[in-house]
Amino acid sequence: EVQLVQSGAEVKKPGATVKISCKVSGYTFTDYYMHWVQQAPGKGLEWMGLVDPEDGETIYAEKFQGRVTITADTSTDTAYMELSSLRSEDTAVYYCATDSESGSYYFDYWGQGTLVTVSS
Amino acid sequence: DIQMTQSPSSVSASVGDRVTITCRASQGISSWLAWYQQKPGKAPKLLIYAASSLQSGVPSRFSGSGSGTDFTLTISSLQPEDFATYYCQQARAFGGGTKVEIK
């Protein structure tokens, strides 16, 4: 059974950095891209970026470019999303998701989500 | 960048109703479109991919159609568990969502 298990909720101050993990099981980690999606409270879904765990190559959405870093650790089958210079607008649930046909962007497996609250 | 526009933003319907949600792309995307269902506090769930292919395990009352710029998600007979928010997606762009509420 494919599982994506994310780290727990975080509370951060403005200007801080948050790093969320997404540990996978049930499939070969390097076979599929890992994506990250943001959902602000009561709002829609926004794609942030992806990593190819096989070679570490990344693509980021323009909106987050320069503040987001997505990495993959093949020794622990874990992907990470780091978001820096946090502001109140970054308060959101962050999801990791895979597209089992890498590059299709059809996200068939999702993590449970991690709530990040940015507050002074 | 491609923009995805969904309509309506919300719809009130009764159990057994047929519900149709539309999604328009700002430029032609062939059949590269997915539909997701999201319930409160849960991750989205893939329903339809490649515009009209039903994801494994998804009930057949869900169907998708369209190509190019105009797409449709249809729920043929709304069930109690279908009250949720639905999103279309083309690669890195999501639609704004359609909330299906109980009438």
Side-chain angles (χ1 to χ4, degrees):
Chain A
E1 180 196 6
V2 173
Q3 285 194 308
L4 281 63
V5 179
Q6 298 183 222
S7 49
E10 303 262 12
V11 179
K12 295 291 183 181
K13 293 196 183 304
T17 296
V18 69
K19 189 171 185 177
I20 301 167
S21 66
C22 173
K23 181 166 175 60
V24 314
S25 60
Y27 73 94
T28 302
F29 183 49
T30 52
D31 280 354
Y32 308 148
Y33 295 168
M34 184 65 75
H35 301 256
W36 289 86
V37 176
Q38 180 195 60
Q39 187 170 38
K43 301 297 184 183
L45 304 167
E46 187 145 22
W47 182 82
M48 301 179 70
L50 69 82
V51 62
D52 180 350
E54 186 162 42
D55 59 13
E57 234 179 85
T58 53
I59 301 174
Y60 300 128
E62 195 174 325
K63 175 180 176 178
F64 299 99
Q65 190 84 37
R67 289 205 302 138
V68 68
T69 304
I70 299 173
T71 56
D73 183 346
T74 56
S75 68
T76 59
D77 290 349
T78 303
Y80 297 91
M81 190 283 292
E82 185 175 83
L83 189 62
S84 62
S85 303
L86 289 170
R87 38 215 190 217
S88 59
E89 310 89 87
D90 296 321
T91 293
V93 175
Y94 293 85
Y95 294 101
C96 57
T98 66
D99 52 353
S100 60
E101 197 175 318
S102 278
S104 71
Y105 287 83
Y106 299 140
F107 303 150
D108 45 0
Y109 296 104
W110 293 71
Q112 82 275 21
T114 296
L115 175 63
V116 175
T117 303
V118 182
S119 174
S120 55
Chain B
D1 288 1
I2 295 173
Q3 316 293 328
M4 307 301 294
T5 304
Q6 275 183 248
S7 61
S9 57
S10 67
V11 57
S12 293
S14 301
V15 172
D17 284 353
R18 182 182 184 89
V19 173
T20 299
I21 299 167
T22 63
C23 181
R24 175 164 287 174
S26 59
Q27 62 190 74
I29 59 170
S30 186
S31 296
W32 290 99
L33 186 96
W35 290 97
Y36 298 86
Q37 176 193 67
Q38 187 180 32
K39 297 181 179 179
K42 299 294 186 183
K45 174 186 174 183
L46 179 64
L47 299 176
I48 301 282
Y49 63 95
S52 60
S53 295
L54 195 67
Q55 175 70 355
S56 176
V58 174
S60 59
R61 62 181 180 272
F62 291 93
S63 64
S65 64
S67 67
T69 60
D70 294 313
F71 300 87
T72 299
L73 173 71
T74 300
I75 310 171
S76 60
S77 177
L78 199 64
Q79 297 302 299
E81 60 268 31
D82 300 337
F83 292 97
T85 300
Y86 294 84
Y87 294 94
C88 64
Q89 177 219 9
Q90 198 284 321
R92 305 168 191 179
F94 288 91
T98 297
K99 188 172 184 179
V100 177
E101 300 174 298
I102 300 173
K103 194 171 188 178

